[in-house]
Amino acid sequence: MTYCLIVDDSRTIRKVSRDIVESLSLEVAEAENGAAGLAACQVRMPDIVLLDWNMPVMDGYSFLKELRKRPGGETPKVVFCTTENDMDHITRALEAGADEYIMKPFDKVILAAKFRELGLLSETCSV
């Protein structure tokens, strides 16, 4: 089963994201910041990471740069899910190794489309 790690400091966003991801039949874990996310990756490397940019302790950009340095850290697909929409943020995220970038708020249709583009959902998966 495809395993998704949601890294976001907002409990509400994690809950909404979890509900969407679980409805797509993916296994889900959560982390409240980048440091906790890296610890979770140490235990089990996810197939996909939904990643917020602005978080305390360790932000999403720092998490991504560190993840990509770790053994196996090049494997997960990383989707930034954030309110940061200027081209500088998007460019920095993609250069650091993000695979996709979506704006909050997002819904099941948007997330499912991104997962399909990344090859993590079949075309027949209903939304």
Side-chain angles (χ1 to χ4, degrees):
M1 179 179 274
T2 302
Y3 170 53
C4 177
L5 176 63
I6 299 165
V7 184
D8 198 300
D9 60 322
S10 167
R11 181 177 290 141
T12 302
I13 295 294
R14 290 196 313 268
K15 167 77 170 105
V16 169
S17 298
R18 174 184 280 277
D19 290 347
I20 292 171
V21 172
E22 285 180 339
S23 76
L24 297 170
S25 299
L26 277 67
E27 186 178 353
V28 181
E30 300 176 22
E32 66 276 4
N33 60 60
L38 287 173
C41 290
Q42 192 74 16
V43 174
R44 180 178 177 198
M45 194 61 74
D47 299 297
I48 187 162
V49 177
L50 295 182
L51 182 61
D52 186 26
W53 191 289
N54 297 307
M55 296 179 286
V57 183
M58 176 185 273
D59 66 22
Y61 181 74
S62 299
F63 165 89
L64 177 59
K65 287 182 16 182
E66 184 60 33
L67 173 69
R68 293 303 193 211
K69 294 178 193 173
R70 293 182 176 214
E74 70 285 346
T75 305
K77 301 295 185 184
V78 176
V79 179
F80 261 104
C81 303
T82 181
T83 57
E84 299 292 347
N85 65 355
D86 62 87
M87 279 308 293
D88 179 56
H89 278 90
I90 295 169
T91 301
R92 284 178 58 211
L94 296 174
E95 287 174 352
D99 296 282
E100 284 289 343
Y101 200 101
I102 60 177
M103 299 304 303
K104 290 178 183 176
F106 55 88
D107 60 18
K108 183 177 179 179
V109 172
I110 292 168
L111 205 52
K114 290 298 180 185
F115 284 9
R116 277 192 199 95
E117 288 174 22
L118 293 169
L120 297 165
L121 283 182
S122 71
E123 293 298 324
T124 59
C125 180
S126 63
V127 175

Tab-separated table of all heavy atoms in Angstrom, residues 48 79 99-102 108-121:
chain	number	residue	atom	x	y	z
A	48	ILE	N	5.260	9.144	-0.563
A	48	ILE	CA	4.928	10.529	-0.877
A	48	ILE	C	4.875	11.343	0.407
A	48	ILE	O	4.465	10.838	1.452
A	48	ILE	CB	3.604	10.642	-1.652
A	48	ILE	CG1	3.378	12.074	-2.120
A	48	ILE	CG2	2.430	10.108	-0.855
A	48	ILE	CD1	2.372	12.228	-3.211
A	79	VAL	N	5.312	16.776	-2.404
A	79	VAL	CA	4.370	17.779	-2.890
A	79	VAL	C	4.265	18.865	-1.832
A	79	VAL	O	3.767	18.620	-0.729
A	79	VAL	CB	2.974	17.175	-3.159
A	79	VAL	CG1	2.010	18.246	-3.628
A	79	VAL	CG2	3.065	16.038	-4.171
A	99	ASP	N	8.654	17.582	-6.095
A	99	ASP	CA	8.123	17.039	-7.342
A	99	ASP	C	6.917	17.830	-7.837
A	99	ASP	O	6.685	17.907	-9.039
A	99	ASP	CB	7.722	15.571	-7.135
A	99	ASP	CG	8.937	14.726	-6.808
A	99	ASP	OD1	9.692	14.402	-7.736
A	99	ASP	OD2	9.135	14.407	-5.618
A	100	GLU	N	6.168	18.392	-6.916
A	100	GLU	CA	4.974	19.166	-7.264
A	100	GLU	C	4.767	20.255	-6.220
A	100	GLU	O	5.337	20.213	-5.133
A	100	GLU	CB	3.721	18.282	-7.328
A	100	GLU	CG	3.610	17.418	-8.557
A	100	GLU	CD	3.318	18.203	-9.816
A	100	GLU	OE1	2.889	19.369	-9.732
A	100	GLU	OE2	3.528	17.645	-10.905
A	101	TYR	N	3.872	21.161	-6.535
A	101	TYR	CA	3.604	22.315	-5.679
A	101	TYR	C	2.135	22.663	-5.845
A	101	TYR	O	1.704	22.941	-6.970
A	101	TYR	CB	4.485	23.481	-6.162
A	101	TYR	CG	4.701	24.584	-5.162
A	101	TYR	CD1	5.883	24.671	-4.446
A	101	TYR	CD2	3.745	25.575	-4.960
A	101	TYR	CE1	6.123	25.694	-3.540
A	101	TYR	CE2	3.964	26.601	-4.053
A	101	TYR	CZ	5.153	26.659	-3.355
A	101	TYR	OH	5.378	27.671	-2.471
A	102	ILE	N	1.368	22.582	-4.771
A	102	ILE	CA	-0.043	22.970	-4.854
A	102	ILE	C	-0.367	23.989	-3.769
A	102	ILE	O	0.289	24.037	-2.732
A	102	ILE	CB	-1.016	21.765	-4.766
A	102	ILE	CG1	-0.862	21.006	-3.453
A	102	ILE	CG2	-0.847	20.857	-5.949
A	102	ILE	CD1	-1.840	19.863	-3.290
A	108	LYS	N	-9.875	17.093	-2.708
A	108	LYS	CA	-9.598	15.727	-3.123
A	108	LYS	C	-9.298	15.639	-4.617
A	108	LYS	O	-8.392	14.916	-5.036
A	108	LYS	CB	-10.778	14.826	-2.759
A	108	LYS	CG	-10.550	13.369	-3.089
A	108	LYS	CD	-11.724	12.523	-2.646
A	108	LYS	CE	-11.516	11.067	-2.990
A	108	LYS	NZ	-12.645	10.236	-2.537
A	109	VAL	N	-10.021	16.383	-5.429
A	109	VAL	CA	-9.824	16.343	-6.880
A	109	VAL	C	-8.415	16.809	-7.236
A	109	VAL	O	-7.710	16.176	-8.041
A	109	VAL	CB	-10.899	17.188	-7.602
A	109	VAL	CG1	-10.603	17.314	-9.080
A	109	VAL	CG2	-12.283	16.591	-7.379
A	110	ILE	N	-7.985	17.921	-6.644
A	110	ILE	CA	-6.651	18.462	-6.921
A	110	ILE	C	-5.570	17.486	-6.457
A	110	ILE	O	-4.620	17.190	-7.193
A	110	ILE	CB	-6.469	19.834	-6.237
A	110	ILE	CG1	-7.382	20.872	-6.892
A	110	ILE	CG2	-5.006	20.285	-6.278
A	110	ILE	CD1	-7.487	22.172	-6.117
A	111	LEU	N	-5.710	16.971	-5.242
A	111	LEU	CA	-4.689	16.061	-4.713
A	111	LEU	C	-4.636	14.770	-5.518
A	111	LEU	O	-3.547	14.286	-5.848
A	111	LEU	CB	-4.976	15.776	-3.239
A	111	LEU	CG	-3.792	15.374	-2.385
A	111	LEU	CD1	-2.636	16.339	-2.504
A	111	LEU	CD2	-4.218	15.233	-0.941
A	112	ALA	N	-5.787	14.226	-5.860
A	112	ALA	CA	-5.816	13.000	-6.659
A	112	ALA	C	-5.158	13.223	-8.020
A	112	ALA	O	-4.417	12.362	-8.507
A	112	ALA	CB	-7.252	12.511	-6.831
A	113	ALA	N	-5.395	14.367	-8.638
A	113	ALA	CA	-4.774	14.671	-9.931
A	113	ALA	C	-3.251	14.712	-9.801
A	113	ALA	O	-2.535	14.169	-10.652
A	113	ALA	CB	-5.302	15.995	-10.472
A	114	LYS	N	-2.741	15.342	-8.745
A	114	LYS	CA	-1.292	15.396	-8.535
A	114	LYS	C	-0.723	14.002	-8.292
A	114	LYS	O	0.329	13.647	-8.816
A	114	LYS	CB	-0.938	16.318	-7.370
A	114	LYS	CG	-1.174	17.773	-7.637
A	114	LYS	CD	-0.314	18.281	-8.774
A	114	LYS	CE	-0.575	19.753	-9.021
A	114	LYS	NZ	0.153	20.251	-10.191
A	115	PHE	N	-1.412	13.191	-7.500
A	115	PHE	CA	-0.943	11.840	-7.230
A	115	PHE	C	-0.917	11.005	-8.513
A	115	PHE	O	-0.010	10.221	-8.731
A	115	PHE	CB	-1.816	11.168	-6.169
A	115	PHE	CG	-1.553	11.627	-4.764
A	115	PHE	CD1	-0.735	12.710	-4.472
A	115	PHE	CD2	-2.155	10.977	-3.705
A	115	PHE	CE1	-0.505	13.120	-3.161
A	115	PHE	CE2	-1.931	11.373	-2.393
A	115	PHE	CZ	-1.099	12.439	-2.126
A	116	ARG	N	-1.928	11.190	-9.382
A	116	ARG	CA	-1.939	10.490	-10.670
A	116	ARG	C	-0.754	10.931	-11.529
A	116	ARG	O	-0.086	10.103	-12.138
A	116	ARG	CB	-3.242	10.761	-11.423
A	116	ARG	CG	-4.362	9.876	-10.993
A	116	ARG	CD	-5.550	9.958	-11.952
A	116	ARG	NE	-6.720	9.464	-11.259
A	116	ARG	CZ	-7.598	10.220	-10.621
A	116	ARG	NH1	-7.499	11.527	-10.629
A	116	ARG	NH2	-8.613	9.676	-9.995
A	117	GLU	N	-0.515	12.255	-11.595
A	117	GLU	CA	0.610	12.774	-12.375
A	117	GLU	C	1.936	12.186	-11.900
A	117	GLU	O	2.842	11.970	-12.702
A	117	GLU	CB	0.684	14.301	-12.275
A	117	GLU	CG	-0.390	15.035	-13.029
A	117	GLU	CD	-0.345	16.537	-12.770
A	117	GLU	OE1	0.721	17.063	-12.375
A	117	GLU	OE2	-1.387	17.185	-12.964
A	118	LEU	N	2.036	11.929	-10.615
A	118	LEU	CA	3.261	11.389	-10.042
A	118	LEU	C	3.320	9.864	-10.103
A	118	LEU	O	4.274	9.259	-9.636
A	118	LEU	CB	3.406	11.855	-8.585
A	118	LEU	CG	3.628	13.356	-8.411
A	118	LEU	CD1	3.496	13.747	-6.947
A	118	LEU	CD2	4.990	13.768	-8.967
A	119	GLY	N	2.264	9.245	-10.665
A	119	GLY	CA	2.232	7.796	-10.804
A	119	GLY	C	1.895	7.047	-9.534
A	119	GLY	O	2.167	5.860	-9.415
A	120	LEU	N	1.263	7.741	-8.579
A	120	LEU	CA	0.944	7.116	-7.297
A	120	LEU	C	-0.492	6.635	-7.202
A	120	LEU	O	-0.840	5.928	-6.259
A	120	LEU	CB	1.232	8.106	-6.159
A	120	LEU	CG	2.701	8.500	-6.060
A	120	LEU	CD1	2.870	9.725	-5.195
A	120	LEU	CD2	3.528	7.344	-5.524
A	121	LEU	N	-1.317	7.007	-8.169
A	121	LEU	CA	-2.698	6.543	-8.250
A	121	LEU	C	-2.948	6.087	-9.664
A	121	LEU	O	-2.473	6.714	-10.607
A	121	LEU	CB	-3.699	7.676	-7.943
A	121	LEU	CG	-3.930	8.107	-6.521
A	121	LEU	CD1	-4.996	9.201	-6.485
A	121	LEU	CD2	-4.347	6.957	-5.624
